[in-house]
């Protein structure tokens, strides 16, 4: 099997791109490094394409290993023919290989195996080759176990049934039939018949498999797992009969016995086995879709723009235990904490007012961040009342606190704030998510960030791998400040292990800030390979060389210097000289000038364009190009809502069935998928109109307006 050709065809890329990418991966280069700094070698493949190459290469490598195992096992049984060997070697899918191997696989002895051991296989074969009088023929195969015509007939039926159930052609055809014409049914179990559950839509459900949305599969599976639903797959009898005809002969009496075998094989082996395969295919497809959505949403969440230079009052609300409040400076440094009780059952506005005002004045706080969990809307009422009463020049915003409790109880949080209570750590996390969302989100297991659909029902290993790769890609895309990054953030930088991340922070504490990237080589364990992988993604904002604040890799410093010198500039000019930007921007969009420069500097076009892009925007943070979060100074209640009312809101979750929008209420608004454009992003500010209100269930339906 020619793996490189197969991968290239599947991904619609050139074979040289696949070959070079695999070689880079096998030489311990990370995906972010390859994508960013080896564009000439890969033909400018992005992270997703490189990861797919990696995934498919590993799949085919494992398939080749399994082929070796299968060939060895069949050979040991003395059943390996040249034709079978060629068929196995030609397999490009694991499912194909499994279907070929099935008749030879070691398994618990079946009724058919017992019949074969007792010599009935020749009689079974005879039925397909000539017309026979079965009673006479059967008498020649009697033994101690099969000592009557009926027992021999039953044994032969079992053999035929097993042949039929293990036939690769039959299995693949039935799988195709079920995927295209099969119907999935679900209904509530008897014990839930008169109990209302969240699975009412599936209490008497039937839909053709090929038309069922992926998210519906996951919902049905969850209902089945929780013991509420019973699930079946059905197919029209005509498809079964089509398969049976492939095994029937021109002799009617022979066919009567053959049909008994086919019915036995269908009911006891073939149909249940293929149904299991179909359920697994549907589950895998639905898992992949849910993981894809979660990954896309996570990517957008991690790119949430920071609100810089704000001194934060962060609030983690609660009823009986009160609201934990913390003051943070503009760098996220913890200053002070307290507890207030402005919400039920205490409703202590007076004392809460005094505490909050003192903190605001003491630390010159200018933005309030409220976690969007328990008691958040009651806290919002108190904050709006306070702002209005004292005419405070402040605004507030809601912060998605998903995962804050996970972080606050983690080992990392204990190391950061050993003296503080769990709830106070949670409030700190909420506040820091405003100042630098990415730096805070990386401290939390991605699965706990709550921006997916059915994330607890999908393959958790696959989910973790995908989400970890998203975090890695975004961290490296944004870049990391070498002098301020936490060990957890540094762990996601290409080429940096958790151990090296800790050593970097220890180095800073002991010797002060880094002045140039090369200093990293002084850290024990940081070899040349690790340095090569990580250097370009680390930023030093006030280093010796202005290029240290860019995404330009040290291996390209010399080339960058020559590029600037060609136009009469030096690296110091990129900080203050606008003429540099004027000259380089004219080159960036001129393909002829780029080609000429590429030859002069002996550097690839992709790399050259990246160098110019970085010089045009030194120290650029890609998150800053996205819209800032909505800030409020007033309040809206559910009772204020009216159909037709127009509002602004923030997209908080995107699913296959629609999107959820925070409009400043405890209840999010929902926009059905048919009204949603593909271009909608998480955190996007949208103008919406209320189309319906369900007062009983507190549901708000919206549509986007331009």
């Amino acid at each position: 099997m020619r793996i490189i050709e197969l991968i290239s065809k599947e991904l619609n890329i050139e074979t040289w791109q696949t070959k070079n990418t695999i070689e880079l991966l096998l030489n311990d280069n990370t995906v972010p490094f390859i994508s960013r700094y080896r564009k000439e070698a890969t033909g400018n493949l992005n992270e997703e394409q490189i990861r797919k190459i990696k995934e498919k290469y590993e799949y085919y490598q494992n398939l080749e290993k399994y082929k070796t195992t299968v060939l060895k096992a069949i050979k040991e049984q003395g059943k390996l023919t040249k034709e079978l060997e060629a068929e196995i070697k030609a397999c490009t899918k694991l499912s194909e290989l499994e279907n070929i191997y099935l008749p030879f696989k070691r398994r618990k002895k079946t009724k058919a195996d017992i019949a074969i051991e007792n010599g009935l296989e020749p009689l079974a074969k005879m039925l397909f080759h000539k017309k026979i009088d079965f009673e006479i023929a059967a008498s020649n195969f009697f033994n101690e176990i099969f000592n009557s015509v009926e027992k021999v007939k039953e044994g032969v039926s079992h053999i035929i049934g097993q042949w039929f159930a293990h036939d690769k052609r039959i299995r693949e055809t039935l799988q195709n039939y079920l995927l295209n014409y099969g119907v999935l049914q679900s209904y509530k179990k008897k014990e839930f018949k008169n109990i209302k559950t969240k699975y009412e839509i599936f209490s008497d459900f039937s839909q053709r498999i090929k038309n069922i949305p992926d998210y519906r599969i996951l919902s049905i599976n969850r209902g089945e797992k929780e013991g509420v639903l019973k699930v079946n797959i059905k197919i029209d009898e005509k498809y079964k009969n089509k398969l049976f005809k492939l095994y029937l002969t021109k002799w009617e009496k022979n066919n009567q016995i053959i049909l008994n075998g086919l019915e036995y094989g269908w009911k006891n082996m073939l149909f249940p086995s293929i149904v299991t395969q179909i359920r697994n295919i549907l589950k895998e497809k639905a898992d992949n879709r849910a993981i894809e959505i979660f990954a896309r949403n996570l990517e957008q969440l991690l790119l949430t723009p920071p609100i810089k230079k704000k001194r934060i009052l962060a609030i983690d609300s609660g009823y009986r235990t009160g609201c934990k409040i913390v003051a943070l400076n503009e760098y996220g440094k913890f200053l002070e904490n307290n507890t207030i009780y402005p919400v039920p059952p205490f409703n202590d506005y007076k004392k809460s007012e005094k505490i909050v005002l003192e903190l605001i004045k003491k630390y010159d706080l200018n933005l309030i961040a409220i976690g969007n969990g328990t008691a958040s809307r009651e806290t919002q009422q108190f904050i709006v009342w306070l702002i209005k009463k004292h005419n405070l020049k402040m605004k507030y915003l809601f912060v998605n606190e998903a995962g804050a409790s996970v972080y606050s109880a983690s080992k990392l949080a204990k190391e950061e704030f050993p003296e503080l209570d769990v709830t106070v750590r949670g409030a700190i996390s909420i506040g820091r998510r405003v100042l630098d969302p990415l730096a805070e989100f990386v401290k939390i297991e991605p699965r706990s960030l709550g921006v997916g659909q059915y994330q607890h029902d999908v393959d958790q290993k696959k989910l973790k791998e995908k989400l970890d790769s998203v975090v890695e890609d975004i961290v490296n895309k944004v870049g990391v400040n070498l002098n301020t990054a936490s060990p957890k953030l540094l762990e996601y930088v290409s080429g940096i292990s958790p151990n090296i991340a800790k050593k970097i922070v220890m180095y800073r504490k002991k010797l002060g800030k880094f002045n140039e990237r090369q200093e990293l080589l002084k850290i024990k364990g940081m070899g040349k390979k690790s340095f090569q992988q990580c250097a370009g993604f680390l930023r030093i904002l006030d280093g010796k060389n202005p290029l240290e604040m860019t995404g330009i890799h040290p291996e390209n410093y010399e080339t960058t210097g020559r590029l600037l010198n060609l136009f009469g500039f030096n690296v110091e000019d990129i900080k203050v000289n606008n003429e540099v930007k004027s000259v380089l921007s004219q080159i960036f969009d001129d393909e002829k000038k780029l080609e000429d420069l590429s030859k002069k500097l002996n550097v690839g076009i992709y790399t050259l364009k990246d160098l110019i892009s970085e010089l045009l925007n030194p120290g650029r943070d890609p998150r800053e190009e996205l819209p800032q979060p909505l800030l409020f100074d007033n309040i809206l209640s559910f009772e204020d809502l009216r159909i037709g009312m127009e509002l602004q809101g923030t997209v908080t979750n995107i699913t296959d069935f629609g999107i959820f929008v925070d409009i400043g209420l405890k209840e999010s608004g929902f926009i059905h998928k048919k009204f949603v454009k593909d271009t909608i992003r998480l955190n996007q500010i949208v103008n919406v109109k209320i189309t319906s209100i369900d007062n009983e269930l507190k549901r708000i339906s919206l549509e986007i307006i331009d």
Side-chain angles (χ1 to χ4, degrees), residues 340-398:
I340 57 175
Y341 298 87
V343 302
F346 303 101
N347 297 313
D348 187 352
Y349 268 36
K350 188 174 182 181
K351 192 173 179 181
S352 300
E353 174 186 17
K354 183 174 182 292
I355 292 169
V356 171
L357 288 174
E358 284 177 356
L359 273 181
I360 290 172
K361 185 178 180 181
K362 183 177 179 181
Y363 295 109
D364 192 24
L365 306 180
N366 49 23
L367 182 64
I368 300 170
I370 306 171
N372 68 343
T374 306
S376 60
R377 303 304 161 169
E378 292 86 348
T379 303
Q380 175 196 26
Q381 290 173 349
F382 164 70
I383 290 299
V384 171
W385 171 82
L386 190 72
I387 289 171
K388 287 185 174 181
K389 181 180 178 182
H390 296 278
N391 195 27
L392 299 175
K393 304 301 180 187
M394 296 184 78
K395 289 185 181 289
Y396 70 89
L397 77 163
F398 286 108

Side-chain angles (χ1 to χ4, degrees), residues 139-173:
S139 63
N140 295 320
F141 291 86
F142 285 176
N143 58 34
E144 287 183 12
I145 297 175
F146 296 92
N147 52 16
S148 69
V149 171
E150 282 307 310
K151 286 185 178 179
V152 170
K153 186 184 289 185
E154 186 179 47
V156 166
S157 294
H158 291 156
I159 292 170
I160 292 170
Q162 184 161 287
W163 286 344
F164 179 64
H166 289 179
D167 187 320
K168 177 177 176 283
R169 176 185 54 161
I170 295 293
R171 293 179 70 83
E172 289 175 352
T173 305

Side-chain angles (χ1 to χ4, degrees), residues 531-582:
F531 177 78
Q532 179 199 47
Q533 300 297 303
C534 73
F537 302 109
L538 297 167
R539 308 281 187 269
I540 301 174
L541 301 185
D542 53 353
K544 287 182 179 179
N545 185 336
L547 297 182
E548 305 278 329
M549 67 177 170
T550 72
I552 296 173
H553 198 284
E555 66 187 13
N556 289 319
Y557 281 4
E558 191 267 337
T559 301
T560 307
R562 287 192 290 121
L563 167 64
L564 289 167
N565 292 161
L566 282 174
F567 300 99
F569 304 117
N570 59 53
V571 292
E572 292 295 329
D573 292 327
I574 69 171
K575 292 193 292 187
V576 293
N577 195 334
N578 287 328
E579 196 179 340
V580 175
K581 293 183 180 180
S582 176

Side-chain angles (χ1 to χ4, degrees), residues 84-113:
L84 182 57
E85 183 176 2
E87 190 178 8
I88 288 169
K89 286 182 176 179
C91 279
T92 58
K93 292 182 181 176
L94 182 60
S95 56
E96 281 181 69
L97 185 56
E98 288 285 13
N99 279 336
I100 294 171
Y101 186 33
L102 184 61
F104 308 97
K105 214 169 189 178
R106 293 186 184 278
R107 58 183 181 272
K108 186 179 177 182
K109 194 177 288 186
T110 65
K111 290 178 179 179
D113 294 334

Side-chain angles (χ1 to χ4, degrees), residues 40-68:
E40 271 70 33
T42 68
N44 200 27
L45 297 179
N46 61 35
E47 291 95 341
E48 186 178 354
Q49 290 171 306
I50 294 167
R51 289 190 195 282
K52 281 183 178 176
I53 290 172
K54 183 180 181 183
E55 180 185 309
K56 289 187 177 295
Y57 180 73
E58 289 170 355
Y59 175 86
Y60 286 125
Q61 285 291 92
N62 290 332
L63 182 62
E64 288 300 298
K65 287 177 186 175
Y66 191 39
K67 284 181 188 179
T68 303

Side-chain angles (χ1 to χ4, degrees), residues 376-438:
S376 60
R377 303 304 161 169
E378 292 86 348
T379 303
Q380 175 196 26
Q381 290 173 349
F382 164 70
I383 290 299
V384 171
W385 171 82
L386 190 72
I387 289 171
K388 287 185 174 181
K389 181 180 178 182
H390 296 278
N391 195 27
L392 299 175
K393 304 301 180 187
M394 296 184 78
K395 289 185 181 289
Y396 70 89
L397 77 163
F398 286 108
V399 178
N400 185 346
E401 64 177 47
S405 59
V406 175
Y407 160 75
S408 60
S410 69
K411 182 183 175 184
L412 177 60
K414 290 173 187 173
E415 289 173 355
E416 284 192 286
F417 305 106
E419 306 300 322
L420 296 180
D421 180 76
V422 170
T423 52
V424 177
R425 295 179 199 145
I428 293 170
S429 178
I430 289 167
R432 285 181 167 181
R433 290 181 189 199
V434 175
L435 295 167
D436 193 346
L438 179 58

